[in-house]
Amino acid sequence: MKKKVVLITGASSGIGKQTALDLLAAGYTVYGGARRVNAMSEITAAGGHALSLDVTVDASMQAAVTHVLEIEGRIDVLVNNAGYGLYGAVEDISMEVARKQVDTNIFGLARMTQLVLPGMREQGSGRIINISSIGGTVHTPMGAWYHGTKFFVEGFTSTMRLEVEDRGIYMVLVAPGIIDTGFGDVLGEEITRNSGNGPYADLVAKMINAAQNPSPSLKGSHPKVISDAIRRGIEDAKPRTIYRAGKFGYLLPLMRRILPHRAFDWMMKTAIR
Ligand SMILES: NC(=O)c1ccc[n+]([C@@H]2O[C@H](COP(=O)([O-])OP(=O)(O)OC[C@H]3O[C@@H](n4cnc5c(N)ncnc54)[C@H](OP(=O)(O)O)[C@@H]3O)[C@@H](O)[C@H]2O)c1
């Protein structure tokens, strides 16, 4: 049987890289895309393919999808994983900086989805795995733009399920909890650059302190737990609509559901004191 062809965005680090390596080991044909092509050498060494891909640039996304279709003739699975956490106070963040977050986490995911759909529809099968976050259900201080994008991902994916499932295409959400990847470094750089010296600097200092001196119970899970969840989304005969995994991946969304808004706010504020 022909190997399934998987395209993963954001494969140069963290969850995307781990998923690419695990799927290669499981026998899939894997294409990883990211801006840092050199950081995907482990993927090529393991028999995968590395593509230059910037999900904020339309021509780059078109070129990546066209390349895979020309070589393989099909894409069976798209893993929309590329993303980062724009953290900082809304008052401090310029619309230009916010637009980059939206371009990456929302328009990048939506355009990649749009580009693979015609092929999946014609072949009558396909899976699109969208990486959301616990941040698609719960909210943390200074993360309004990031959480907004992940709330979007959840609404977009659920709505699309009603549109494409009858054509053989499954839309699957994977919502990681806290995972030990490059995500925290990028978040730390963003929050410091945006709000480290502004009127919310006191809150930023508390958040950085909480992030840099985490109690052992706050250490993130290994990205393998998310790679395993993604694989279940690909291989389960009828995939779940959402797979949750990783530190706090179940607990926080559950608390968000049962606690009143202000009780949840209090808990989040207390966590960074
Ligand atoms: N780590 C966590 O605790 C956590 C929790 C919940 C959800 N998530 C989500 O998981 C996903 C992966 O994050 P991670 O934790 O693995 O972080 P990471 O280690 O920082 O990896 C992020 C990946 O996204 C890629 N990326 C960023 N901007 C891009 C762009 N414009 N075009 C193409 N690729 C781009 C990066 O590649 P280049 O820089 O080379 O382009 C990198 O490969 C994200 O969507 C994140 O929101 C993470």
Side-chain angles (χ1 to χ4, degrees):
M1 222 168 81
K2 208 169 175 311
K3 290 176 171 184
K4 279 200 168 150
V5 180
V6 184
L7 172 57
I8 305 171
T9 69
S12 63
S13 170
I15 292 168
K17 184 189 267 190
Q18 182 74 44
T19 304
L21 294 173
D22 290 348
L23 291 179
L24 281 166
Y28 289 85
T29 297
V30 176
Y31 285 78
R35 293 166 302 181
R36 290 168 295 162
V37 179
N38 290 345
M40 292 186 283
S41 54
E42 271 178 78
I43 294 173
T44 47
H49 309 269
L51 300 173
S52 167
L53 171 66
D54 185 336
V55 300
T56 66
V57 178
D58 199 72
S60 170
M61 291 187 277
Q62 285 196 44
V65 171
T66 304
H67 177 82
V68 182
L69 288 175
E70 274 173 8
I71 297 204
E72 305 293 343
R74 60 191 290 126
I75 294 172
D76 296 295
V77 181
L78 168 67
V79 182
N80 272 318
N81 164 75
Y84 69 97
L86 170 59
Y87 270 70
V90 170
E91 192 179 327
D92 292 330
I93 293 177
S94 69
M95 289 301 124
E96 192 191 348
V97 168
R99 236 172 238 124
K100 189 176 158 228
Q101 171 80 134
V102 171
D103 276 347
T104 308
N105 293 14
I106 292 184
F107 282 105
L109 173 143
R111 181 63 174 141
M112 288 298 296
T113 299
Q114 199 176 47
L115 286 167
V116 302
L117 274 175
M120 289 184 175
R121 191 171 37 72
E122 274 159 34
Q123 72 208 21
S125 68
R127 294 196 182 192
I128 297 174
I129 317 273
N130 287 338
I131 308 303
S132 175
S133 168
I134 38 171
T137 310
V138 308
H139 48 281
T140 55
M142 303 261 126
W145 282 108
Y146 177 67
H147 289 284
T149 66
K150 293 300 185 180
F151 280 41
F152 170 91
V153 168
E154 303 225 345
F156 184 79
T157 307
S158 296
T159 308
M160 274 199 65
R161 208 168 45 242
L162 305 175
E163 208 167 285
V164 299
E165 207 169 84
D166 290 346
R167 323 230 158 188
I169 301 163
Y170 282 115
M171 299 297 300
V172 179
L173 283 162
V174 171
I178 301 176
I179 312 297
D180 192 10
T181 65
F183 184 86
D185 297 335
V186 175
L187 185 158
E189 283 161 26
E190 290 286 343
I191 197 170
T192 307
R193 185 171 49 242
N194 294 318
S195 292
N197 296 310
Y200 302 87
D202 54 336
L203 191 50
V204 172
K206 282 182 195 164
M207 285 197 65
I208 288 177
N209 182 48
Q212 286 177 346
N213 306 297
S215 63
S217 64
L218 278 180
K219 193 169 158 29
S221 307
H222 192 277
K224 175 98 176 77
V225 300
I226 305 306
S227 163
D228 288 346
I230 292 170
R231 196 161 157 202
R232 289 179 58 198
I234 296 172
E235 294 182 353
D236 284 353
K238 182 162 189 194
R240 290 188 197 168
T241 56
I242 184 162
Y243 294 83
R244 299 188 183 278
K247 176 68 60 83
F248 298 132
Y250 284 96
L251 183 65
L252 281 180
L254 176 69
M255 294 179 84
R256 176 68 190 81
R257 224 175 24 245
I258 58 182
L259 289 176
H261 272 102
R262 289 201 188 285
F264 190 85
D265 290 356
W266 175 85
M267 193 184 79
M268 295 316 282
K269 280 186 184 168
T270 308
I272 60 155
R273 253 184 212 134

